[in-house]
Amino acid sequence: MTDFNHTNREPNFLEYKGKYKGILGWITSTDHKRIGLLYFYSMMFFFLAGVVMGLLMKYELISPGEQIMGAQTYNGLFTLHGLTMIFLFVIPGVAAVFGNFFLPILIGAKDVSFPRLNLMSWYLYIIGAIIVLISQFIGDGPPDTGWTFYAPYSLKTNTNVVAAVTGAFILGFSSILTGLNFIVTMHRLRAPGMGWLRMPLFGWALYGTGWIQLLATPVVGITFLMVIAERLLGIGFFDPAIGGDPILYQHLFWIYSHPAVYIMILPAMGAITEIIPTFARKTIFGYTAIVISSMAIAFVGYFVWGHHMFTSGMSSTSRWVFSLLTFLVAIPSAIKVFNWTATLYKSSINLQTPFYWAIAFVFVFMIGGFSGLVLGSLATDIHVHDTAFVVAHFHYIVFGGTGFAFFGALHYWFPKMFARVYNFKVANTGLIIFFIGFNMLYFPMFYLGLLGMPRRYYDYLPMFHSANILSTVGSWIMATGLLIIIINLIRARKGSGKEVDDPWDGKTLEWTIPSPPIVENFEEIPEVKHGPYEY
Amino acid sequence: MYSGASNFVTTTDTAFAVIIGISVIFLVGITATMLWFVYRYNKKRNPVATQIHGSNTLEIVWTVIPTILVLVMFFYGWSGYSPMKKAPEDAMKVRATARMWSWLFEYENGIKTDTLYIPVNKAVALDLISVDVIHSLYIPAFRVKEDMVPGKTNKMWFIGQKEGNYELFCTEYCGLSHSYMFTEVKVLPQQEFDTWYAAMADTSKQSAMAAKPGAAGRRLVQVNGCLACHSADGTKLIGPTFKGLYGKAHTVITGNSEREIIADDDYIIKSIYEPNEDIVKGYVKGQMISYKEQLSKEDIAHIIEYLKTLE
């Protein structure tokens, strides 16, 4: 651990006073670290709002019949829950917060390539989010289409679809610009001596992600514009009543929205790949294999979208081709899991909170991945498609995967961002409760799906009752764990914890500089002489 | 749970067993290895880590083995699915229509039901039609599901192998009452089915039913799914109840203005053909589509007779 000494330092990024003071100083700052935190605070707000919506939905489902809301409210709620969680939390996710904060530091740069564009991305994110929220209050009521906006329902419903879709369209630009910025940063700003194969693996994960954001997001942007045009002008792209094709909508939507799952999960895998070597006190096993698997996921991920449409009436040929490709995209993820596990062999593990998160991540991510195999296979997907099984699967991937990695990364980099440590015991207790609640909430949904309970169900037959009770109680336990975790971090941020520079003795570049980092990260740009994880 | 209810259960459940079986072995194996490493290579037990950068042999091993295993899974999934696409020539044909939020089944002899009746051990081929948004016909016990896409006729077939009643759900979210859009498949012994089938088709029986005032209208209301949104007993659902509707005064909203109307024949016809013109106060616009294609003026006359019986 480095000695802590506040004197003789340049002002750190938290205390730096620029042209403006207070909040203005933050929302006009082009410092990548401040932008990372702007994303962090706004995303946490939306995430917690999404959690509350989820809890209300689970409460409604505790028994058949109406508990606390009517069907229309419920349908609006699962739509808003999906929109909030997908577009405002997991898609920007680990990349927007930790990518912004740490990518430049990890590669030895003073900032991203286009700092002003970076700030503009955050503004686009906020504008998009505000429009999505406005859609709840103006027009003929909150959208009730689900986050997928499937045509022709999204064209026929009276609710305020246009505003929600416009918000999502703007959010897309935020994502595209962030991806572009990161790609250019990695090409242009790596420190002297840092060849591509000396770049930390979080960087590689963001590189793969950046290309998906750049190439796939425009597709959904155009699709959303077509929905708006169809609703306002009755053009007839997707509504068969006026000559459109609803299946076309599904293709266009999933050409983006499947790769979007990799936008969510790749940076998460990257963050886990940073955590494991630090606490194993050991270099990562199979650096090159992990790089190749990240790029393979980013590439093959473009060609599997059809597995969302196995029951749409697609031709048999497209069904088996998409099924085969879906199985192939599973392999690079498996390779990562094997390499993480192998890294632990003959290591010297420092059992700390971030490491527990990483282990918990690998476990829930595996369940998510394996259940994905059930959905990739044709006969089994026919049975569980559009049932609670799918809901369980993607919550294990996007919440179990991205969410766990987000909290893991937060506990890992928290001392670097704020120069404080949190109470480890409380953090670990929170994690255990959260982990138990998480599995109790989502695992019964696999069973419900196998039993045949359709998804997006406001009410259900008594045969589905017992598993639903378990799931709802799980949601309460999970929320309790989450509350403990968050309060613990807030207390640490407010100054209850010890001041530190580096509690973990990490080896990547962010741990070579003081905490919190100074405004331009490095007093002198470092020269890199070896790979990132030389213990 | 419903083992053997249809001809697709065994193949589909085998695919489930293969995929879930392999997955559980790997999940348990990897988790146990990970936990063992965490225990064995804890910094107290192993203070100095051995730096290992990787192994090409291992990378190849754990690329090739999962590749073979997922190809096996793919094969089981594909072979379980491929017979679902080829309905036998002699299958009994039923036209299944979905609309917000009810089902209609039309048989070759012209009878219409809201529940699917099929004979046991006989191939049944469904033409899947939707008149409004996308629905999806799902019979969990049979392991079959296919979307019903407006403007397109998807197909599905199966053989019910065990007598009994099975749930039939809509699994594609279709709006307000999506979760109430379910019915049953009744698998009957061949003889019982034949009797039912003949009786339903028997015109004399239909006319006998028609003799009772409003009976023909009542059947039309049932098979067209009207009761999903309009109750016959005064309960408030998505649309106004049928009870006490006919001949009474109602406040409706036309465009932006309120007006009083009397629910006479013309009003009923207009409400069925152009349901969004006049909205009864307190109800939401845009929930109902026009039934111009489905109901003739004669049909509506029968329905009006039925409405008159609901005082």
Side-chain angles (χ1 to χ4, degrees), chain A residues 326-377:
Chain A
T326 302
F327 276 112
L328 296 183
V329 84
I331 297 164
S333 298
I335 292 172
K336 280 183 195 278
V337 170
F338 290 127
N339 281 297
W340 290 327
T341 312
T343 302
L344 303 181
Y345 176 66
K346 292 199 173 172
S347 62
S348 175
I349 296 167
N350 177 19
L351 273 179
Q352 301 274 16
T353 311
F355 185 77
Y356 287 124
W357 275 102
I359 296 291
F361 165 91
V362 176
F363 180 76
V364 290
F365 177 71
M366 280 197 292
I367 296 181
F370 286 128
S371 58
L373 299 173
V374 173
L375 295 166
S377 138

Side-chain angles (χ1 to χ4, degrees), chain A residues 378-379, chain B residues 11 15 72-84:
Chain A
L378 288 170
Chain B
T11 42
V72 169
M73 294 179 189
F74 165 76
F75 172 77
Y76 275 94
W78 164 247
S79 59
Y81 160 76
S82 63
M84 294 183 191

Side-chain angles (χ1 to χ4, degrees), chain A residues 71-72 75 78 144 150-153 156 158 240 246 250 281-286 289 311-313 316 319-320 323-324 327 331 335 338-339 341-342 344-351 355 359 362-363 366 370 373-374 377-380 382-387 450-452 454-459 461 463-464 534-535, chain B residues 1-2 12 15-16 19-20 23 26-27 30-31 33-34 37-38 41-43 46-55 58-59 62-63 66-67 70-71 73-74 77-78 80-81 84-85 100 132-134 138 140 143-147 149-152 154 167 169-176 178-180 182 285-286:
Chain A
Q72 188 65 32
N75 296 345
F78 76 65
D144 63 343
Y150 262 28
Y153 185 76
K156 289 184 191 281
N158 285 315
Q250 296 182 16
R281 315 303 307 149
K282 180 168 175 276
T283 188
I284 193 84
F285 190 96
T311 66
S312 68
S316 282
R319 292 192 212 208
W320 76 256
S323 172
L324 187 62
F327 276 112
I331 297 164
I335 292 172
F338 290 127
N339 281 297
T341 312
L344 303 181
Y345 176 66
K346 292 199 173 172
S347 62
S348 175
I349 296 167
N350 177 19
L351 273 179
F355 185 77
I359 296 291
V362 176
F363 180 76
M366 280 197 292
F370 286 128
L373 299 173
V374 173
S377 138
L378 288 170
T380 48
I382 298 291
H383 179 52
V384 289
H385 180 82
D386 265 328
T387 66
L450 289 170
L451 214 57
R455 67 189 281 204
R456 294 174 168 174
Y457 244 34
Y458 161 71
D459 200 354
L461 296 178
M463 63 191 277
F464 304 124
E534 294 300 321
Y535 284 88
Chain B
M1 167 153 204
Y2 299 106
T12 302
F16 270 114
I19 297 171
I20 295 176
S23 299
F26 270 79
L27 178 69
I30 295 170
T31 309
T33 311
M34 214 163 56
F37 285 167
V38 170
Y41 301 113
N42 191 303
K43 116 182 132 180
N46 194 36
V48 180
T50 313
Q51 300 303 322
I52 308 165
H53 284 86
S55 149
L58 273 177
E59 298 292 347
W62 64 47
T63 306
T67 306
V70 295
L71 289 176
M73 294 179 189
F74 165 76
W78 164 247
Y81 160 76
M84 294 183 191
K85 286 313 274 182
M100 294 152 117
D132 39 43
V133 298
I134 302 179
Y138 176 36
R143 311 287 188 267
V144 292
K145 177 186 295 138
E146 189 83 3
D147 291 357
V149 183
K152 192 171 163 186
N154 282 341
E167 289 87 13
F169 296 111
C170 172
T171 43
E172 183 64 57
Y173 172 71
C174 55
L176 189 58
H178 167 55
S179 65
Y180 297 106
F182 63 84
K285 192 174 170 174

Side-chain angles (χ1 to χ4, degrees), chain A residues 1 105-106 194 198 200 274-275 277-279 281-283 412-413 502 504-513 528 530-535, chain B residues 51:
Chain A
M1 233 176 269
I105 307 181
L106 281 167
M194 183 180 278
R198 282 184 182 172
E274 296 299 318
I275 294 172
T278 303
F279 294 90
R281 315 303 307 149
K282 180 168 175 276
T283 188
Y412 176 51
W413 279 314
D502 174 9
W504 325 123
D505 196 15
K507 290 285 187 246
T508 34
L509 286 176
E510 80 272 35
W511 302 110
T512 64
I513 58 170
V528 178
H530 49 71
Y533 313 107
E534 294 300 321
Y535 284 88
Chain B
Q51 300 303 322

Side-chain angles (χ1 to χ4, degrees), chain A residues 232-276:
Chain A
L232 298 180
L233 309 170
I235 289 183
F237 293 119
F238 306 127
D239 186 352
I242 44 176
D245 183 357
I247 302 297
L248 175 66
Y249 176 84
Q250 296 182 16
H251 278 293
L252 289 171
F253 181 80
W254 291 114
I255 284 174
Y256 164 73
S257 297
H258 193 76
V261 178
Y262 302 109
I263 294 178
M264 305 170 200
I265 198 70
L266 268 176
M269 292 166 151
I272 296 301
T273 315
E274 296 299 318
I275 294 172
I276 287 177

Side-chain angles (χ1 to χ4, degrees), chain A residues 417-495:
Chain A
M417 299 194 287
F418 304 115
R420 299 274 177 180
V421 287
Y422 40 85
N423 183 322
F424 293 133
K425 258 191 199 154
V426 177
N428 296 342
T429 315
L431 166 58
I432 291 166
I433 297 171
F434 180 78
F435 179 81
I436 293 169
F438 175 89
N439 285 292
M440 202 167 142
L441 163 53
Y442 296 114
F443 204 84
M445 290 194 195
F446 284 126
Y447 170 74
L448 284 169
L450 289 170
L451 214 57
M453 179 173 158
R455 67 189 281 204
R456 294 174 168 174
Y457 244 34
Y458 161 71
D459 200 354
Y460 53 82
L461 296 178
M463 63 191 277
F464 304 124
H465 193 186
S466 50
N468 267 303
I469 297 176
L470 200 62
S471 175
T472 304
V473 174
S475 74
W476 302 336
I477 298 175
M478 192 187 79
T480 311
L482 193 61
L483 208 61
I484 295 173
I485 291 162
I486 290 172
I487 291 173
N488 189 39
L489 291 175
I490 292 175
R491 282 172 47 106
R493 173 74 184 93
K494 291 217 161 139

